[in-house]
Amino acid sequence: MLYAILCYNQEDVVCAWSKEEDAAVMAKLGAVQQRLAEEGRLGPVARLMPTTAATTLRKDREPPLVLDGPFAETKEQLLGFYVVDCESLDGALQVAKDLGKANPGGSYEIRPIAMFQPGPAGA
Amino acid sequence: MTDFGWIEGALAAARPQAMAALLRYFRDMDAADEAFQDACLRALKAWPKNGPPRDPTAWLIMVGRNAAIDAVRKTSRNAPLPPEDLLSDLEDAEAEAAERLDSAHYRDDVLRLLFICCHPDLPATQQIALALRIVSGLSVREIARAFVVSDTAMEQRITRAKARIGAGDAPFEAPGPIERAERFAAVAAMIYLVFNEGYSASGKALEAKGGLCDEAIRLARLLLRLFPAEPEMMGLAALLLLQHARSDARFAADGAAILLEDQDRSLWNRRMIDEGLALIDKAMLKQAPGPYQVQAAIAALHARAACAEDTDWAGIDRLYATLEIMQPSPVITLNRAVAIAKVRGPDAALEMIAPLGGRLDAYFPYHGARGALLLQAGRRAEARQAFDRAIALANTAAEAANIRQYLDRVAAKD
């Protein structure tokens, strides 16, 4: 089964990492990713740009409203996600724990994927 | 990275908000600064043991406040400091404090802090020094190095700035909408100056100043979070990202500057470019153009060209024309002439900059650009004269070396 592992962390903190700190975290994450890829279990991986670069389309009205952000008053923001093939929730939790060791603070949300359609953009 | 590298990251991220809240509390920059340092020391002791608090910023504000109050008590009554274990009581108080210090409050605090640093009574150099010291937390020594002045001189500059805005006179109430808009421009300009200070450095100075560009981007992101719907703020952040993305391609190994058209574009930082493009695209949706957005749009056209030949010079010419209307300046006209030369040839460009001679006679880039255009037009004798004048005005060895390359080209054609 495919699981999405959504990475949440405080954007302010992650954006304050120095280039070296950022590279160190990415290298450690890369090691976990490489293992998963070798096992043929790694789907798309995305790191999202800061929420300041984001736009929200609210469609509860006509015409839909274009807003900046998300700027909900939350402490943690969605900063990226992985798609991983795992036998069970246990397996997905283990992947999240491995990723978590590379990446201080924040949290991972593990969401089973109901439908997955790899398109040319993800190739 | 050390195992506790996350603490340093969290402290740096919390700094603007914590400093701002402490300043509101103490109404004295030195006291707020000392309280923050004190809180950071305690965090370095307590967090590795207890793990990070739920809200690091609220923790730092509270501990900083308590530590400073203790210090006052200690000197006035000679009472001992409370034992460190008492700090663990903070865990319970933390949630409550975090609730009180809601985001709206933070927003006003940080704005006030930036606004105080950009007090209109302060000269720009003092605004920058103060912001780097108070908001970014750079040490006096780091700032002195970046501005190539002695530690003592920088210390004096910062002390003077602090004295000038004297805690008593600084406005501590949240600024009204009009003042906010006015000061927003001042804060944005300050961030732009910090960036330029880093960007215009070269060679040895670049090592010392390179960090200023990163710092300016960090401040721009902070301000963008405070003004998330302000297109000029998106434009400023985009401009800085798009310019800084080229930093690895701007200098040769020997320190000589490499012109934009000669840069190895594979060295451009794709991630910064993508974020810059995303921000300028988003700003354009608002249909409220301003000078930062136009400059970012020019940088975006350069960034979008896969090679120098693909550059959309007609688009750049149009954008410079817009900028000329917004901010008429001979320097902008000079920049526009470079685009004109690409679209309509060197003669059109020379005609355009001819009237600028009087005002830009002492401006190094004017003579450099004019020489290059004359050379392109085949007027070699006049080109040599322009280049000679440029060398006489060069501020750095790299600038002079750059012009000498042109003179060599003239000589090769003779």
Side-chain angles (χ1 to χ4, degrees):
Chain A
M1 174 136 101
L2 290 174
Y3 287 86
I5 299 181
L6 312 177
C7 322
Y8 286 87
N9 206 338
Q10 283 186 50
E11 198 166 48
D12 291 347
V13 173
V14 173
C15 285
W17 285 346
S18 68
K19 244 179 259 172
E20 294 73 27
E21 282 170 332
D22 195 273
V25 171
M26 290 307 135
K28 284 196 221 167
L29 289 173
V32 181
Q33 283 165 228
Q34 196 184 344
R35 201 195 67 219
L36 292 167
E38 280 162 10
E39 294 166 4
R41 298 165 59 202
L42 189 67
V45 178
R47 181 173 183 175
L48 302 179
M49 284 186 198
T51 49
T52 45
T55 305
T56 302
L57 186 76
R58 282 207 67 97
K59 43 201 191 53
D60 54 359
R61 70 201 71 197
E62 204 47 57
L65 192 62
V66 177
L67 294 166
D68 299 297
F71 294 109
E73 302 297 349
T74 48
K75 294 265 174 239
E76 294 189 338
Q77 288 77 33
L78 175 63
L79 300 186
F81 62 84
Y82 295 81
V83 173
V84 187
D85 192 3
C86 298
E87 295 268 313
S88 64
L89 176 60
D90 266 358
L93 273 170
Q94 191 53 53
V95 171
K97 281 178 189 164
D98 291 344
L99 290 169
K101 280 183 204 144
N103 193 0
S107 57
Y108 286 109
E109 177 183 328
I110 293 142
R111 289 275 285 276
I113 294 180
M115 183 185 73
F116 181 64
Q117 224 174 0
Chain B
M1 198 169 77
T2 65
D3 282 351
F4 297 121
W6 59 270
I7 295 186
E8 278 165 42
L11 295 179
R15 183 180 174 99
Q17 292 175 338
M19 268 301 293
L22 289 168
L23 183 61
R24 174 162 47 87
Y25 186 74
F26 291 112
R27 305 202 160 211
D28 177 279
M29 281 209 174
D30 289 319
D33 203 15
E34 243 166 69
F36 182 74
Q37 303 295 346
D38 207 340
C40 287
L41 285 177
R42 289 181 192 225
L44 285 169
K45 233 185 213 174
W47 295 1
K49 234 177 8 198
N50 309 337
R54 219 167 328 170
D55 185 337
T57 310
W59 192 99
L60 288 166
I61 294 168
M62 207 152 46
V63 171
R65 231 154 62 173
N66 291 346
I69 293 165
D70 285 342
V72 173
R73 278 202 200 116
K74 195 181 169 194
T75 41
S76 60
R77 283 196 242 144
N78 220 7
L81 273 170
E84 284 292 320
D85 335 342
L86 282 186
L87 283 174
S88 61
D89 289 351
L90 288 165
E91 289 294 333
D92 300 326
E94 206 180 279
E96 194 205 331
E99 231 161 87
R100 266 188 294 121
L101 293 159
D102 61 26
S103 304
H105 220 145
Y106 277 162
R107 188 191 136 105
D108 285 343
D109 278 346
V110 176
L111 273 181
R112 194 178 302 114
L113 182 61
L114 284 167
F115 287 174
I116 288 172
C117 293
C118 293
H119 200 283
D121 289 353
L122 296 180
T125 50
Q126 287 184 19
Q127 291 183 2
I128 297 170
L130 201 57
L132 288 174
R133 176 73 204 93
I134 299 297
V135 187
S136 302
L138 264 58
S139 69
V140 171
R141 176 175 220 160
E142 286 171 308
I143 306 170
R145 236 164 66 97
F147 286 84
V148 206
V149 298
S150 71
D151 290 7
T152 342
M154 187 48 77
E155 180 81 62
Q156 279 172 354
R157 197 184 286 183
I158 293 170
T159 310
R160 264 204 305 272
K162 283 180 183 169
R164 191 106 175 233
I165 56 173
D169 309 326
F172 280 90
E173 70 287 355
I178 293 171
E179 195 189 357
R180 214 172 245 207
E182 283 171 4
R183 295 275 189 103
F184 162 77
V187 175
M190 181 273 290
I191 292 174
Y192 190 61
L193 289 175
V194 170
F195 183 85
N196 274 338
E197 192 65 35
Y199 193 76
S200 58
S202 61
K204 266 263 174 286
L206 185 66
E207 283 167 37
K209 295 187 175 199
L212 288 181
C213 292
D214 290 323
E215 200 46 50
I217 288 174
R218 207 169 73 84
L219 288 172
R221 284 204 175 111
L222 177 69
L223 198 57
L224 183 55
R225 288 181 75 81
L226 298 174
F227 291 97
E230 169 56 64
E232 269 296 83
M233 198 53 238
M234 296 174 200
L236 176 61
L239 174 62
L240 304 193
L241 284 162
L242 291 167
Q243 301 269 53
H244 196 41
R246 298 186 206 131
S247 56
D248 287 342
R250 291 176 57 222
F251 295 100
D254 62 359
I258 302 176
L259 293 175
L260 184 59
E261 57 189 59
D262 299 328
Q263 288 174 14
D264 175 357
R265 291 179 186 224
S266 69
L267 295 177
W268 289 3
N269 183 320
R270 205 58 238 175
R271 217 169 100 191
M272 280 192 215
I273 289 178
D274 286 344
E275 190 182 341
L277 294 177
L279 283 171
I280 189 62
D281 282 353
K282 196 176 141 177
M284 295 294 201
L285 284 182
K286 309 256 173 196
Q287 301 193 343
Y292 292 125
Q293 288 172 78
V294 176
Q295 291 177 74
I298 292 169
L301 284 182
H302 284 300
R304 285 195 154 112
C307 57
E309 293 72 37
D310 285 356
T311 310
D312 177 5
W313 287 110
I316 291 175
D317 174 31
R318 278 194 300 277
L319 288 166
Y320 271 123
T322 310
L323 202 55
E324 267 184 318
I325 295 166
M326 287 175 174
Q327 288 181 329
S329 128
V331 174
I332 289 167
T333 307
L334 181 64
N335 284 326
R336 187 178 171 200
V338 176
I340 292 272
K342 301 277 184 188
V343 183
R344 306 210 319 254
D347 294 322
L350 282 166
E351 194 181 320
M352 181 172 201
I353 64 166
L356 307 179
R359 272 180 301 168
L360 293 184
D361 190 45
Y363 187 61
F364 161 79
Y366 172 74
H367 297 282
R370 189 161 168 271
L373 291 170
L374 287 165
L375 183 60
Q376 229 178 305
R379 291 152 68 176
R380 287 204 293 280
E382 289 168 89
R384 190 180 298 110
Q385 279 179 340
F387 287 135
D388 284 342
R389 176 91 182 111
I391 284 202
L393 291 167
N395 299 306
T396 64
E399 282 180 357
N402 205 358
I403 296 297
R404 251 173 239 118
Q405 286 177 1
Y406 277 111
L407 277 172
D408 291 345
R409 268 185 237 177
V410 183
K413 288 189 179 174
D414 280 341

